[in-house]
Amino acid sequence: MTDLTCDVAIIGAGTAGLAAERSARKNGARTLLIDPAFNGTTCATVGCMPSKLLIGAARAAQDARGAGAFGIRTSVGVDGPAVLQRLRKLRDDFVDATRAGIAKLPEDSRITARARFTGPDRLALSTGDTVQAGAIIIATGSSPMIPPPYRDLAGLLTNDTIFELEDLPQSLAVIGGGVIGLELAQAMARLGTRVAIFDQGDQLGGTRCKVVQQVLQDALSRELTLHLGTNPEPQDDNGQTRIDWDGGSDKFDKVLVATGRAPNLAGLDLEKTGLSLNDKGLPEVDPETLQCADAPIFLVGDANAARPLLHEASDEGAIAGRGALAFPARVPSSRKTPLAITFTDPPLVSVGAAPGDGAKTGSADYTNQGRARVDNRNTGLARIHASAPDGRLIGADLFCPGADHMGHLLALAIAQGLTARDLLDQPFYHPTLEEGLKPALREICAAVPLQIPGDRDTGSPPGA
């Protein structure tokens, strides 16, 4: 047994943990990065990258089917095994790149082991060694939540297992209409699988705007079946899974449970830290520092269940790395403008804040937008929110072509404190999807006239 010491110990080598280790070491800390496998990040292995590879294949199939609108005649056939083989090959490339980066870390700072707390600044490792640290960062990630009725199903899938399928299923029930459920459901439907989404609520993808929610629901219902506000009950049935719900019953080859991901905190013995834990086993976390109460403990990334997004995990790791080294001094950091993207087609995007009392909202309909019609992608809606009486942009909810790119533009505008008039005064090239935002911005300007020093907007051609 060896007694190890360091300035900052990090438990978990995912996106948040790697960022935390890098941040602390860059600022002069002696670090120890502890992980049981160093297998790579959730993003590369079972999250962002494999899901986008499946979505990319689905988009190619859908584009081929829609080519007739341009006078292009095609015949579409989907080779399921080939789709999944390509997915895994490129997924493994991304994972290998992540592991190569981990391998470049100082060898004496990496420990392959499981860790558990024996005190607020002490860890016991599965190797038998112990660690005494100035501060400890928990970056253990998350795992799929599987409700009890689904745990023993023969056809059970999660986002941790779906990419290992050898072929596409003929039919798929998706339990949960959140980000993961929507992305994989639409992709599978476009690849030829019969898909139905079941959700106890009536809100898909965490949408904040009822108008956008309805447009999203209408668009998805043209490609797959939606059973919202239902309580599905599953059971194995002769090699398939039968789903019963209020008013119906159906059988599926596979069931994808996409009801969220829970923080990986089991086995850490957090109760030995002296922290007060809530009913979910989580301590209170300061969003500006990621510190747990006054303890030398920081909780980041998916493990804190606050902002389960890669760029947020990376930011949180960097914030905690600095704060852990500075402990007991408190080092608050400002957070970036919230930006969340669901890679449906068209993309579903939320930026900044939801509109509060007195806020003004402008809308832009993309069903008749010029560039969207040119590309045969004229579906969706953009809603932009501004404060009154100054017209300063505060948020947006988008479900329209190009929303994943326009979300970044709007996040920058919000961070810079721009008004709707300020954004209208910038160049909008014709014909682009970005140009389609102008009706929403003009609507805000009309509702908040005090922001207009002089009307320099020359308008757009009809249908733009």
Side-chain angles (χ1 to χ4, degrees):
M1 184 177 76
T2 304
D3 293 324
L4 304 172
T5 61
C6 64
D7 298 315
V8 179
I10 304 98
I11 309 173
T15 297
L18 291 171
E21 193 280 333
R22 184 169 55 248
S23 172
R25 179 161 44 85
K26 184 178 69 175
N27 285 285
R30 163 79 173 96
T31 62
L32 288 177
L33 181 61
I34 306 161
D35 192 275
F38 291 98
N39 278 334
T41 64
T42 295
C43 169
T45 56
V46 297
C48 316
M49 303 315 291
S51 65
K52 301 313 166 288
L53 286 163
L54 189 72
I55 290 168
R59 183 175 59 249
Q62 190 75 355
D63 286 348
R65 293 189 193 99
F70 300 92
I72 310 298
R73 305 302 172 207
T74 62
S75 177
V76 181
V78 176
D79 183 339
V83 167
L84 293 163
Q85 286 169 15
R86 176 183 183 269
L87 182 156
R88 285 190 288 271
K89 180 182 182 302
L90 292 180
R91 183 271 313 272
D92 291 347
D93 287 346
F94 295 128
V95 172
D96 288 345
T98 301
R99 291 174 179 167
I102 294 172
K104 293 178 181 178
L105 294 173
E107 190 170 344
D108 61 355
S109 72
R110 287 179 280 125
I111 300 177
T112 302
R114 295 187 180 278
R116 60 182 177 83
F117 284 91
T118 57
D121 58 356
R122 293 191 65 87
L123 299 171
L125 306 183
S126 56
T127 57
D129 298 332
T130 62
V131 174
Q132 172 80 49
I136 298 172
I137 300 173
I138 304 170
T140 46
S142 62
S143 297
M145 290 189 296
I146 305 175
Y150 299 92
R151 290 175 185 169
D152 297 323
L153 291 179
L156 172 67
L157 296 171
T158 69
N159 72 292
D160 281 4
T161 60
I162 191 170
F163 306 117
E164 304 307 319
L165 290 172
E166 293 301 318
D167 198 356
L168 300 168
Q170 291 294 312
S171 56
L172 177 70
V174 178
I175 310 302
V179 173
I180 294 172
L182 291 191
E183 289 187 351
L184 298 183
Q186 187 186 48
M188 283 291 190
R190 290 184 167 190
L191 290 168
T193 298
R194 178 175 67 85
V195 178
I197 293 178
F198 295 84
D199 199 290
Q200 292 181 338
D202 58 4
Q203 183 185 38
L204 291 170
T207 49
R208 306 178 300 187
C209 173
K210 291 183 179 179
V211 182
V212 172
Q213 159 69 27
Q214 189 60 56
V215 175
L216 168 68
Q217 186 172 326
D218 292 345
L220 287 177
S221 64
R222 293 193 288 269
E223 301 189 51
L224 47 84
T225 302
L226 298 174
H227 297 294
L228 304 182
T230 61
N231 186 27
E233 298 179 358
Q235 61 179 299
D236 287 323
D237 189 337
N238 294 322
Q240 292 185 302
T241 298
R242 192 179 84 210
I243 304 287
D244 297 317
W245 69 95
D246 302 338
S249 179
D250 201 352
K251 293 182 181 180
F252 300 90
D253 294 327
K254 298 290 183 181
V255 177
L256 171 65
V257 175
T259 51
R261 293 178 65 91
N264 292 330
L265 300 178
L268 290 179
D269 289 353
L270 280 176
E271 64 278 4
K272 295 182 179 178
T273 63
L275 291 169
S276 176
L277 307 178
N278 63 20
D279 57 357
K280 296 181 180 180
L282 285 165
E284 182 180 351
V285 180
D286 184 337
E288 292 185 342
T289 64
L290 287 310
Q291 185 178 354
C292 301
D294 295 324
I297 299 171
F298 297 74
L299 187 58
V300 298
D302 286 8
N304 66 29
R307 298 185 182 188
L309 303 168
L310 182 140
H311 72 279
E312 296 286 4
S314 182
D315 287 348
E316 289 187 357
I319 292 169
R322 294 190 296 268
L325 181 59
F327 180 84
R330 183 176 179 273
V331 184
S333 297
S334 59
R335 303 299 296 270
K336 294 176 181 175
T337 301
L339 171 63
I341 301 174
T342 301
F343 288 93
T344 47
D345 182 19
L348 174 67
V349 177
S350 65
V351 189
D357 294 340
K360 303 300 180 182
T361 295
S363 298
D365 184 356
Y366 271 77
T367 60
N368 195 41
Q369 200 268 336
R371 180 58 182 272
R373 293 181 64 194
V374 166
D375 294 339
N376 195 34
R377 296 184 180 278
N378 49 315
T379 297
L381 179 74
R383 302 263 287 173
I384 302 176
H385 317 302
S387 60
D390 58 6
R392 198 170 303 280
L393 300 177
I394 58 172
D397 294 279
L398 317 172
F399 178 67
C400 61
D404 48 340
H405 301 289
M406 292 186 286
H408 289 81
L409 167 68
L410 293 169
L412 175 63
I414 292 167
Q416 295 294 317
L418 301 184
T419 65
R421 169 54 50 190
D422 291 331
L423 199 53
L424 273 175
D425 284 343
Q426 302 306 309
F428 283 85
Y429 207 85
H430 175 72
T432 62
L433 295 170
E434 285 79 3
E435 187 182 27
L437 296 175
K438 295 178 76 172
L441 295 169
R442 292 195 200 104
E443 187 176 343
I444 293 171
C445 288
V448 193
L450 291 178
Q451 69 175 307
I452 305 178
D455 191 358
R456 289 172 282 173
D457 175 28
T458 59
S460 300

